[in-house]
Amino acid sequence: MADETHDDEGTPASPDREVRPDGGAKGADDVALDPWGSSTVDDYRKLFEQFGIEEFDDVLPEVPTPHYLMRRGVIFGHRDYRPVAEAMRNDEPFAALSGFMPTGDPHIGHKLVFDELIWHQQQGGDAYGLIADMEAHAARDIPWDEIDEHTESYLLSLIALGFDPEEGEIYRQSTNREVQDLAFELGTQANFSELGAIYDFDGETEVSYMQSVVTQMADILYPQLDEPKPTVIPVGPDQDPHMRLARDLAGRMRYFKVTEAYASFELEDGERELVGRAYEALAAEADDPETDVRCTDAADWLEDESPDHPALWEAVEKLRSGGKEPLRPRVRFLDRNATEEAFEALIKAVEGEKRVYEGHIDSFDLDAEEAEELARAVEADHGGYGFLPPSSIYHRFMTGLTGGKMSSSEPASHISLLDDPEDGYDKVKAATTGGRETAEKQRELGGKADECPVYELYAYLLANDDDDFAAEVYEECVTGERLCGGCKEQAAELMKEFLEDHQEKREEARELLEAADIELDSPRK
């Protein structure tokens, strides 16, 4: 979850046309996402198919005054962002958190995440900026004195770009006892086999490395310690394994799980889908759907209507065991980790028709949303966390200035937020472009903006909130009106101005950082 160097290939955004940042994407084999490696994503569309990441365009109309990174498709995907967008629209509590691993100087790739976090704060969210120093030490073997140096630098840039430390919170993993305690509790719900399967850990993996994972899970859920609320984590797609694990652990920590059910026995997801289909068909023909649809009737119907479904025989076996028990839709509260007092309180809180079993309660009058709210309220009143599954948004990686990957180990491939402005100017002037071999061909065929690191600079950073300017650069390039020499000169001047302004604001941010409640000198060194 901690944002590292953006060292993967990406393509740029077009703000005003259907030329999206994946417009020139190549076909790709299966994508392997490694939070600490150098995952490459040649085709972001693969992430929708393989990992269930949803397209951000689908939720964009629901976001009030979306950030330009959203509008231009730089933020391309999400997991469960709708609750966050709804909270924004309704002026309800929500939070945003992102972490930064202090392994080097902050650069323009990190600015994407800084901007996303700051924007959510400006929209009214509780914002958390954390330094993943325990992860840096465990996963990267960075010494504590070097971590301290980079910690200050990251936080100065975050504040200089607009983060308000008085309204938000900044912290280090190593000094936040609440995060460490939560990590310990989350560790009771995870095991080595699971971490090994997700992160490829083996017998040689250090214990502190594994501990850094559950610490990151605690970071992700930390904004909900005071109260459950929608929380978004802006990340690159390489961090998605962390998000999937965090969502799973949030559920495992809950006192109750709310599901749909049709009888006294429990069904798996695929089985529930089948039984629901059978019930709907049989209930439509029954005189009294509450009593006339029996388990055996549904088993017979499924054998005739869904013979090839992979969950058929498990569903039929359970239905046969149910015999003549009537099928009837209900909402079920499953006891996961509830105390006896919490379970009894939930029984009393469920109004209307209900049935109480050992380990679960069935309600016939509540819908799923009402049941979820009730379960969370009872849990919170009886010492539970009541976590909502954390949401995430995913941004594209910036292409290195030399083409290919952006890497901290290759200074020419990226621009540090600490670079001398003249050096930033020179790096842009020396950057690879999507231009043609000659000016004549450029005028005739147009440039390849979708493959140009310099156009990315405009779309991701230099055009800022001016969509018209970004669109103008794009159109002039692809129509051949704009030549690479002049385009790079303009981008280089804008980069120089940005760095000058940012570094002035970093100096102004020192006073705010000094006033913030964070230890810049680690007691661990």
Side-chain angles (χ1 to χ4, degrees), residues 290-322:
E290 292 190 4
T291 59
D292 291 352
V293 181
R294 308 285 175 153
C295 288
T296 50
D297 299 332
D300 293 339
W301 187 91
L302 285 175
E303 288 182 332
D304 291 337
E305 300 294 332
S306 301
D308 299 324
H309 196 286
L312 172 67
W313 298 114
E314 291 83 356
V316 167
E317 183 178 357
K318 291 180 180 180
L319 289 167
R320 297 277 183 218
S321 298

PDB file of all heavy atoms in Angstrom, residues 290-322:
ATOM      1  N   GLU A 290     -44.868 -18.449   0.601  1.00  0.00           N
ATOM      2  CA  GLU A 290     -44.219 -18.592   1.909  1.00  0.00           C
ATOM      3  C   GLU A 290     -44.278 -20.015   2.436  1.00  0.00           C
ATOM      4  O   GLU A 290     -43.498 -20.382   3.318  1.00  0.00           O
ATOM      5  CB  GLU A 290     -44.850 -17.633   2.923  1.00  0.00           C
ATOM      6  CG  GLU A 290     -44.569 -16.171   2.627  1.00  0.00           C
ATOM      7  CD  GLU A 290     -44.988 -15.272   3.769  1.00  0.00           C
ATOM      8  OE1 GLU A 290     -45.425 -15.807   4.819  1.00  0.00           O
ATOM      9  OE2 GLU A 290     -44.890 -14.047   3.634  1.00  0.00           O
ATOM     10  N   THR A 291     -45.194 -20.830   1.909  1.00  0.00           N
ATOM     11  CA  THR A 291     -45.327 -22.196   2.439  1.00  0.00           C
ATOM     12  C   THR A 291     -45.287 -23.276   1.365  1.00  0.00           C
ATOM     13  O   THR A 291     -44.992 -24.434   1.671  1.00  0.00           O
ATOM     14  CB  THR A 291     -46.658 -22.341   3.211  1.00  0.00           C
ATOM     15  OG1 THR A 291     -47.743 -22.051   2.304  1.00  0.00           O
ATOM     16  CG2 THR A 291     -46.706 -21.397   4.397  1.00  0.00           C
ATOM     17  N   ASP A 292     -45.555 -22.926   0.128  1.00  0.00           N
ATOM     18  CA  ASP A 292     -45.745 -23.953  -0.897  1.00  0.00           C
ATOM     19  C   ASP A 292     -44.466 -24.359  -1.617  1.00  0.00           C
ATOM     20  O   ASP A 292     -44.458 -25.370  -2.321  1.00  0.00           O
ATOM     21  CB  ASP A 292     -46.767 -23.466  -1.941  1.00  0.00           C
ATOM     22  CG  ASP A 292     -48.170 -23.371  -1.365  1.00  0.00           C
ATOM     23  OD1 ASP A 292     -48.362 -23.831  -0.219  1.00  0.00           O
ATOM     24  OD2 ASP A 292     -49.063 -22.842  -2.056  1.00  0.00           O
ATOM     25  N   VAL A 293     -43.393 -23.572  -1.504  1.00  0.00           N
ATOM     26  CA  VAL A 293     -42.135 -23.910  -2.184  1.00  0.00           C
ATOM     27  C   VAL A 293     -41.244 -24.662  -1.202  1.00  0.00           C
ATOM     28  O   VAL A 293     -40.780 -24.098  -0.208  1.00  0.00           O
ATOM     29  CB  VAL A 293     -41.421 -22.652  -2.711  1.00  0.00           C
ATOM     30  CG1 VAL A 293     -40.135 -23.046  -3.433  1.00  0.00           C
ATOM     31  CG2 VAL A 293     -42.328 -21.855  -3.637  1.00  0.00           C
ATOM     32  N   ARG A 294     -41.018 -25.933  -1.464  1.00  0.00           N
ATOM     33  CA  ARG A 294     -40.251 -26.793  -0.560  1.00  0.00           C
ATOM     34  C   ARG A 294     -38.843 -27.069  -1.104  1.00  0.00           C
ATOM     35  O   ARG A 294     -38.591 -26.953  -2.311  1.00  0.00           O
ATOM     36  CB  ARG A 294     -40.980 -28.128  -0.363  1.00  0.00           C
ATOM     37  CG  ARG A 294     -42.433 -27.993   0.050  1.00  0.00           C
ATOM     38  CD  ARG A 294     -42.569 -27.596   1.495  1.00  0.00           C
ATOM     39  NE  ARG A 294     -43.951 -27.353   1.897  1.00  0.00           N
ATOM     40  CZ  ARG A 294     -44.400 -27.507   3.137  1.00  0.00           C
ATOM     41  NH1 ARG A 294     -43.574 -27.899   4.090  1.00  0.00           N
ATOM     42  NH2 ARG A 294     -45.658 -27.240   3.442  1.00  0.00           N
ATOM     43  N   CYS A 295     -37.938 -27.440  -0.202  1.00  0.00           N
ATOM     44  CA  CYS A 295     -36.547 -27.711  -0.604  1.00  0.00           C
ATOM     45  C   CYS A 295     -36.486 -28.786  -1.686  1.00  0.00           C
ATOM     46  O   CYS A 295     -35.746 -28.652  -2.674  1.00  0.00           O
ATOM     47  CB  CYS A 295     -35.734 -28.143   0.607  1.00  0.00           C
ATOM     48  SG  CYS A 295     -35.379 -26.810   1.792  1.00  0.00           S
ATOM     49  N   THR A 296     -37.266 -29.847  -1.534  1.00  0.00           N
ATOM     50  CA  THR A 296     -37.215 -30.926  -2.517  1.00  0.00           C
ATOM     51  C   THR A 296     -37.733 -30.462  -3.874  1.00  0.00           C
ATOM     52  O   THR A 296     -37.244 -30.902  -4.913  1.00  0.00           O
ATOM     53  CB  THR A 296     -38.034 -32.126  -2.025  1.00  0.00           C
ATOM     54  OG1 THR A 296     -39.337 -31.678  -1.621  1.00  0.00           O
ATOM     55  CG2 THR A 296     -37.337 -32.804  -0.846  1.00  0.00           C
ATOM     56  N   ASP A 297     -38.729 -29.554  -3.856  1.00  0.00           N
ATOM     57  CA  ASP A 297     -39.224 -29.014  -5.131  1.00  0.00           C
ATOM     58  C   ASP A 297     -38.114 -28.257  -5.859  1.00  0.00           C
ATOM     59  O   ASP A 297     -37.964 -28.377  -7.083  1.00  0.00           O
ATOM     60  CB  ASP A 297     -40.402 -28.062  -4.871  1.00  0.00           C
ATOM     61  CG  ASP A 297     -41.579 -28.746  -4.206  1.00  0.00           C
ATOM     62  OD1 ASP A 297     -41.740 -29.962  -4.408  1.00  0.00           O
ATOM     63  OD2 ASP A 297     -42.329 -28.061  -3.475  1.00  0.00           O
ATOM     64  N   ALA A 298     -37.363 -27.466  -5.108  1.00  0.00           N
ATOM     65  CA  ALA A 298     -36.268 -26.696  -5.715  1.00  0.00           C
ATOM     66  C   ALA A 298     -35.180 -27.619  -6.243  1.00  0.00           C
ATOM     67  O   ALA A 298     -34.595 -27.362  -7.298  1.00  0.00           O
ATOM     68  CB  ALA A 298     -35.700 -25.723  -4.699  1.00  0.00           C
ATOM     69  N   ALA A 299     -34.882 -28.712  -5.533  1.00  0.00           N
ATOM     70  CA  ALA A 299     -33.877 -29.659  -5.998  1.00  0.00           C
ATOM     71  C   ALA A 299     -34.297 -30.279  -7.333  1.00  0.00           C
ATOM     72  O   ALA A 299     -33.487 -30.391  -8.269  1.00  0.00           O
ATOM     73  CB  ALA A 299     -33.655 -30.741  -4.950  1.00  0.00           C
ATOM     74  N   ASP A 300     -35.577 -30.669  -7.424  1.00  0.00           N
ATOM     75  CA  ASP A 300     -36.070 -31.239  -8.681  1.00  0.00           C
ATOM     76  C   ASP A 300     -35.967 -30.217  -9.821  1.00  0.00           C
ATOM     77  O   ASP A 300     -35.558 -30.560 -10.938  1.00  0.00           O
ATOM     78  CB  ASP A 300     -37.533 -31.678  -8.519  1.00  0.00           C
ATOM     79  CG  ASP A 300     -37.691 -32.850  -7.564  1.00  0.00           C
ATOM     80  OD1 ASP A 300     -36.701 -33.569  -7.339  1.00  0.00           O
ATOM     81  OD2 ASP A 300     -38.812 -33.037  -7.036  1.00  0.00           O
ATOM     82  N   TRP A 301     -36.355 -28.980  -9.545  1.00  0.00           N
ATOM     83  CA  TRP A 301     -36.339 -27.937 -10.578  1.00  0.00           C
ATOM     84  C   TRP A 301     -34.920 -27.698 -11.074  1.00  0.00           C
ATOM     85  O   TRP A 301     -34.684 -27.574 -12.280  1.00  0.00           O
ATOM     86  CB  TRP A 301     -36.936 -26.659 -10.007  1.00  0.00           C
ATOM     87  CG  TRP A 301     -37.124 -25.568 -11.028  1.00  0.00           C
ATOM     88  CD1 TRP A 301     -38.244 -25.342 -11.779  1.00  0.00           C
ATOM     89  CD2 TRP A 301     -36.167 -24.567 -11.410  1.00  0.00           C
ATOM     90  NE1 TRP A 301     -38.046 -24.258 -12.616  1.00  0.00           N
ATOM     91  CE2 TRP A 301     -36.769 -23.768 -12.410  1.00  0.00           C
ATOM     92  CE3 TRP A 301     -34.874 -24.276 -11.012  1.00  0.00           C
ATOM     93  CZ2 TRP A 301     -36.122 -22.697 -13.008  1.00  0.00           C
ATOM     94  CZ3 TRP A 301     -34.213 -23.213 -11.622  1.00  0.00           C
ATOM     95  CH2 TRP A 301     -34.829 -22.430 -12.597  1.00  0.00           C
ATOM     96  N   LEU A 302     -33.957 -27.647 -10.145  1.00  0.00           N
ATOM     97  CA  LEU A 302     -32.574 -27.385 -10.530  1.00  0.00           C
ATOM     98  C   LEU A 302     -32.000 -28.512 -11.379  1.00  0.00           C
ATOM     99  O   LEU A 302     -31.255 -28.267 -12.336  1.00  0.00           O
ATOM    100  CB  LEU A 302     -31.706 -27.179  -9.284  1.00  0.00           C
ATOM    101  CG  LEU A 302     -31.868 -25.840  -8.559  1.00  0.00           C
ATOM    102  CD1 LEU A 302     -31.044 -25.834  -7.276  1.00  0.00           C
ATOM    103  CD2 LEU A 302     -31.438 -24.682  -9.464  1.00  0.00           C
ATOM    104  N   GLU A 303     -32.318 -29.738 -11.046  1.00  0.00           N
ATOM    105  CA  GLU A 303     -31.802 -30.865 -11.829  1.00  0.00           C
ATOM    106  C   GLU A 303     -32.296 -30.811 -13.265  1.00  0.00           C
ATOM    107  O   GLU A 303     -31.592 -31.204 -14.201  1.00  0.00           O
ATOM    108  CB  GLU A 303     -32.195 -32.182 -11.174  1.00  0.00           C
ATOM    109  CG  GLU A 303     -31.425 -32.470  -9.894  1.00  0.00           C
ATOM    110  CD  GLU A 303     -31.799 -33.809  -9.282  1.00  0.00           C
ATOM    111  OE1 GLU A 303     -32.951 -34.258  -9.500  1.00  0.00           O
ATOM    112  OE2 GLU A 303     -30.965 -34.394  -8.578  1.00  0.00           O
ATOM    113  N   ASP A 304     -33.514 -30.273 -13.448  1.00  0.00           N
ATOM    114  CA  ASP A 304     -34.068 -30.164 -14.790  1.00  0.00           C
ATOM    115  C   ASP A 304     -33.563 -28.932 -15.537  1.00  0.00           C
ATOM    116  O   ASP A 304     -33.297 -28.991 -16.747  1.00  0.00           O
ATOM    117  CB  ASP A 304     -35.604 -30.099 -14.723  1.00  0.00           C
ATOM    118  CG  ASP A 304     -36.217 -31.414 -14.271  1.00  0.00           C
ATOM    119  OD1 ASP A 304     -35.557 -32.461 -14.429  1.00  0.00           O
ATOM    120  OD2 ASP A 304     -37.349 -31.385 -13.737  1.00  0.00           O
ATOM    121  N   GLU A 305     -33.419 -27.793 -14.814  1.00  0.00           N
ATOM    122  CA  GLU A 305     -33.162 -26.508 -15.463  1.00  0.00           C
ATOM    123  C   GLU A 305     -31.696 -26.090 -15.497  1.00  0.00           C
ATOM    124  O   GLU A 305     -31.302 -25.281 -16.329  1.00  0.00           O
ATOM    125  CB  GLU A 305     -33.981 -25.404 -14.771  1.00  0.00           C
ATOM    126  CG  GLU A 305     -35.486 -25.624 -14.812  1.00  0.00           C
ATOM    127  CD  GLU A 305     -36.030 -25.540 -16.219  1.00  0.00           C
ATOM    128  OE1 GLU A 305     -35.427 -24.836 -17.054  1.00  0.00           O
ATOM    129  OE2 GLU A 305     -37.069 -26.182 -16.499  1.00  0.00           O
ATOM    130  N   SER A 306     -30.861 -26.565 -14.579  1.00  0.00           N
ATOM    131  CA  SER A 306     -29.461 -26.100 -14.507  1.00  0.00           C
ATOM    132  C   SER A 306     -28.496 -27.275 -14.370  1.00  0.00           C
ATOM    133  O   SER A 306     -27.672 -27.328 -13.438  1.00  0.00           O
ATOM    134  CB  SER A 306     -29.290 -25.144 -13.314  1.00  0.00           C
ATOM    135  OG  SER A 306     -30.146 -24.039 -13.424  1.00  0.00           O
ATOM    136  N   PRO A 307     -28.559 -28.219 -15.288  1.00  0.00           N
ATOM    137  CA  PRO A 307     -27.743 -29.436 -15.111  1.00  0.00           C
ATOM    138  C   PRO A 307     -26.242 -29.203 -15.223  1.00  0.00           C
ATOM    139  O   PRO A 307     -25.462 -30.022 -14.730  1.00  0.00           O
ATOM    140  CB  PRO A 307     -28.244 -30.349 -16.245  1.00  0.00           C
ATOM    141  CG  PRO A 307     -28.771 -29.403 -17.283  1.00  0.00           C
ATOM    142  CD  PRO A 307     -29.372 -28.267 -16.510  1.00  0.00           C
ATOM    143  N   ASP A 308     -25.815 -28.087 -15.843  1.00  0.00           N
ATOM    144  CA  ASP A 308     -24.381 -27.881 -16.075  1.00  0.00           C
ATOM    145  C   ASP A 308     -23.739 -26.880 -15.126  1.00  0.00           C
ATOM    146  O   ASP A 308     -22.553 -26.575 -15.258  1.00  0.00           O
ATOM    147  CB  ASP A 308     -24.160 -27.402 -17.517  1.00  0.00           C
ATOM    148  CG  ASP A 308     -24.636 -28.428 -18.546  1.00  0.00           C
ATOM    149  OD1 ASP A 308     -24.478 -29.628 -18.273  1.00  0.00           O
ATOM    150  OD2 ASP A 308     -25.152 -28.002 -19.601  1.00  0.00           O
ATOM    151  N   HIS A 309     -24.488 -26.339 -14.179  1.00  0.00           N
ATOM    152  CA  HIS A 309     -23.916 -25.345 -13.265  1.00  0.00           C
ATOM    153  C   HIS A 309     -22.913 -26.025 -12.333  1.00  0.00           C
ATOM    154  O   HIS A 309     -23.182 -27.095 -11.769  1.00  0.00           O
ATOM    155  CB  HIS A 309     -25.037 -24.690 -12.454  1.00  0.00           C
ATOM    156  CG  HIS A 309     -24.621 -23.423 -11.772  1.00  0.00           C
ATOM    157  ND1 HIS A 309     -23.805 -23.421 -10.661  1.00  0.00           N
ATOM    158  CD2 HIS A 309     -24.898 -22.123 -12.041  1.00  0.00           C
ATOM    159  CE1 HIS A 309     -23.610 -22.168 -10.273  1.00  0.00           C
ATOM    160  NE2 HIS A 309     -24.261 -21.371 -11.091  1.00  0.00           N
ATOM    161  N   PRO A 310     -21.730 -25.409 -12.122  1.00  0.00           N
ATOM    162  CA  PRO A 310     -20.697 -26.067 -11.297  1.00  0.00           C
ATOM    163  C   PRO A 310     -21.111 -26.294  -9.841  1.00  0.00           C
ATOM    164  O   PRO A 310     -20.573 -27.191  -9.185  1.00  0.00           O
ATOM    165  CB  PRO A 310     -19.504 -25.101 -11.389  1.00  0.00           C
ATOM    166  CG  PRO A 310     -20.082 -23.797 -11.860  1.00  0.00           C
ATOM    167  CD  PRO A 310     -21.254 -24.142 -12.708  1.00  0.00           C
ATOM    168  N   ALA A 311     -22.050 -25.495  -9.327  1.00  0.00           N
ATOM    169  CA  ALA A 311     -22.466 -25.661  -7.927  1.00  0.00           C
ATOM    170  C   ALA A 311     -23.731 -26.503  -7.794  1.00  0.00           C
ATOM    171  O   ALA A 311     -24.290 -26.619  -6.701  1.00  0.00           O
ATOM    172  CB  ALA A 311     -22.689 -24.289  -7.290  1.00  0.00           C
ATOM    173  N   LEU A 312     -24.183 -27.112  -8.904  1.00  0.00           N
ATOM    174  CA  LEU A 312     -25.490 -27.792  -8.894  1.00  0.00           C
ATOM    175  C   LEU A 312     -25.572 -28.880  -7.837  1.00  0.00           C
ATOM    176  O   LEU A 312     -26.488 -28.896  -7.019  1.00  0.00           O
ATOM    177  CB  LEU A 312     -25.766 -28.380 -10.278  1.00  0.00           C
ATOM    178  CG  LEU A 312     -27.022 -29.285 -10.347  1.00  0.00           C
ATOM    179  CD1 LEU A 312     -28.273 -28.462 -10.122  1.00  0.00           C
ATOM    180  CD2 LEU A 312     -27.078 -30.034 -11.680  1.00  0.00           C
ATOM    181  N   TRP A 313     -24.630 -29.800  -7.832  1.00  0.00           N
ATOM    182  CA  TRP A 313     -24.805 -30.982  -6.998  1.00  0.00           C
ATOM    183  C   TRP A 313     -24.665 -30.666  -5.524  1.00  0.00           C
ATOM    184  O   TRP A 313     -25.353 -31.273  -4.694  1.00  0.00           O
ATOM    185  CB  TRP A 313     -23.828 -32.082  -7.442  1.00  0.00           C
ATOM    186  CG  TRP A 313     -24.125 -32.492  -8.854  1.00  0.00           C
ATOM    187  CD1 TRP A 313     -23.344 -32.323  -9.949  1.00  0.00           C
ATOM    188  CD2 TRP A 313     -25.338 -33.086  -9.331  1.00  0.00           C
ATOM    189  NE1 TRP A 313     -23.969 -32.772 -11.079  1.00  0.00           N
ATOM    190  CE2 TRP A 313     -25.200 -33.253 -10.733  1.00  0.00           C
ATOM    191  CE3 TRP A 313     -26.518 -33.496  -8.723  1.00  0.00           C
ATOM    192  CZ2 TRP A 313     -26.199 -33.806 -11.526  1.00  0.00           C
ATOM    193  CZ3 TRP A 313     -27.524 -34.051  -9.502  1.00  0.00           C
ATOM    194  CH2 TRP A 313     -27.366 -34.194 -10.884  1.00  0.00           C
ATOM    195  N   GLU A 314     -23.823 -29.702  -5.180  1.00  0.00           N
ATOM    196  CA  GLU A 314     -23.749 -29.284  -3.776  1.00  0.00           C
ATOM    197  C   GLU A 314     -25.074 -28.671  -3.339  1.00  0.00           C
ATOM    198  O   GLU A 314     -25.574 -28.942  -2.229  1.00  0.00           O
ATOM    199  CB  GLU A 314     -22.620 -28.273  -3.571  1.00  0.00           C
ATOM    200  CG  GLU A 314     -21.211 -28.847  -3.712  1.00  0.00           C
ATOM    201  CD  GLU A 314     -20.762 -28.924  -5.164  1.00  0.00           C
ATOM    202  OE1 GLU A 314     -21.575 -28.594  -6.062  1.00  0.00           O
ATOM    203  OE2 GLU A 314     -19.601 -29.335  -5.391  1.00  0.00           O
ATOM    204  N   ALA A 315     -25.665 -27.822  -4.209  1.00  0.00           N
ATOM    205  CA  ALA A 315     -26.943 -27.194  -3.875  1.00  0.00           C
ATOM    206  C   ALA A 315     -28.051 -28.229  -3.758  1.00  0.00           C
ATOM    207  O   ALA A 315     -28.864 -28.200  -2.820  1.00  0.00           O
ATOM    208  CB  ALA A 315     -27.299 -26.144  -4.926  1.00  0.00           C
ATOM    209  N   VAL A 316     -28.093 -29.161  -4.714  1.00  0.00           N
ATOM    210  CA  VAL A 316     -29.136 -30.191  -4.688  1.00  0.00           C
ATOM    211  C   VAL A 316     -29.008 -31.059  -3.442  1.00  0.00           C
ATOM    212  O   VAL A 316     -30.023 -31.404  -2.801  1.00  0.00           O
ATOM    213  CB  VAL A 316     -29.062 -31.046  -5.971  1.00  0.00           C
ATOM    214  CG1 VAL A 316     -29.909 -32.311  -5.832  1.00  0.00           C
ATOM    215  CG2 VAL A 316     -29.520 -30.230  -7.171  1.00  0.00           C
ATOM    216  N   GLU A 317     -27.801 -31.419  -3.070  1.00  0.00           N
ATOM    217  CA  GLU A 317     -27.598 -32.255  -1.882  1.00  0.00           C
ATOM    218  C   GLU A 317     -28.121 -31.558  -0.627  1.00  0.00           C
ATOM    219  O   GLU A 317     -28.791 -32.178   0.218  1.00  0.00           O
ATOM    220  CB  GLU A 317     -26.106 -32.573  -1.727  1.00  0.00           C
ATOM    221  CG  GLU A 317     -25.815 -33.498  -0.544  1.00  0.00           C
ATOM    222  CD  GLU A 317     -24.340 -33.842  -0.428  1.00  0.00           C
ATOM    223  OE1 GLU A 317     -23.554 -33.411  -1.307  1.00  0.00           O
ATOM    224  OE2 GLU A 317     -23.975 -34.535   0.544  1.00  0.00           O
ATOM    225  N   LYS A 318     -27.853 -30.271  -0.493  1.00  0.00           N
ATOM    226  CA  LYS A 318     -28.339 -29.540   0.676  1.00  0.00           C
ATOM    227  C   LYS A 318     -29.862 -29.419   0.653  1.00  0.00           C
ATOM    228  O   LYS A 318     -30.528 -29.517   1.696  1.00  0.00           O
ATOM    229  CB  LYS A 318     -27.686 -28.154   0.739  1.00  0.00           C
ATOM    230  CG  LYS A 318     -26.202 -28.198   1.062  1.00  0.00           C
ATOM    231  CD  LYS A 318     -25.577 -26.801   1.119  1.00  0.00           C
ATOM    232  CE  LYS A 318     -24.088 -26.879   1.437  1.00  0.00           C
ATOM    233  NZ  LYS A 318     -23.448 -25.544   1.491  1.00  0.00           N
ATOM    234  N   LEU A 319     -30.419 -29.194  -0.526  1.00  0.00           N
ATOM    235  CA  LEU A 319     -31.870 -29.090  -0.634  1.00  0.00           C
ATOM    236  C   LEU A 319     -32.546 -30.421  -0.313  1.00  0.00           C
ATOM    237  O   LEU A 319     -33.580 -30.465   0.366  1.00  0.00           O
ATOM    238  CB  LEU A 319     -32.250 -28.628  -2.044  1.00  0.00           C
ATOM    239  CG  LEU A 319     -31.929 -27.172  -2.383  1.00  0.00           C
ATOM    240  CD1 LEU A 319     -32.053 -26.925  -3.874  1.00  0.00           C
ATOM    241  CD2 LEU A 319     -32.839 -26.217  -1.607  1.00  0.00           C
ATOM    242  N   ARG A 320     -31.976 -31.515  -0.790  1.00  0.00           N
ATOM    243  CA  ARG A 320     -32.534 -32.830  -0.465  1.00  0.00           C
ATOM    244  C   ARG A 320     -32.501 -33.074   1.035  1.00  0.00           C
ATOM    245  O   ARG A 320     -33.451 -33.611   1.626  1.00  0.00           O
ATOM    246  CB  ARG A 320     -31.758 -33.928  -1.175  1.00  0.00           C
ATOM    247  CG  ARG A 320     -31.805 -33.872  -2.689  1.00  0.00           C
ATOM    248  CD  ARG A 320     -33.052 -34.508  -3.228  1.00  0.00           C
ATOM    249  NE  ARG A 320     -33.072 -34.514  -4.695  1.00  0.00           N
ATOM    250  CZ  ARG A 320     -34.136 -34.308  -5.421  1.00  0.00           C
ATOM    251  NH1 ARG A 320     -35.307 -34.048  -4.831  1.00  0.00           N
ATOM    252  NH2 ARG A 320     -34.088 -34.343  -6.736  1.00  0.00           N
ATOM    253  N   SER A 321     -31.401 -32.640   1.671  1.00  0.00           N
ATOM    254  CA  SER A 321     -31.304 -32.816   3.129  1.00  0.00           C
ATOM    255  C   SER A 321     -32.346 -31.980   3.850  1.00  0.00           C
ATOM    256  O   SER A 321     -32.806 -32.337   4.929  1.00  0.00           O
ATOM    257  CB  SER A 321     -29.902 -32.433   3.617  1.00  0.00           C
ATOM    258  OG  SER A 321     -28.924 -33.271   3.047  1.00  0.00           O
ATOM    259  N   GLY A 322     -32.726 -30.855   3.251  1.00  0.00           N
ATOM    260  CA  GLY A 322     -33.749 -30.000   3.847  1.00  0.00           C
ATOM    261  C   GLY A 322     -35.145 -30.572   3.768  1.00  0.00           C
ATOM    262  O   GLY A 322     -36.051 -30.123   4.481  1.00  0.00           O
TER     263      GLY A 322
END
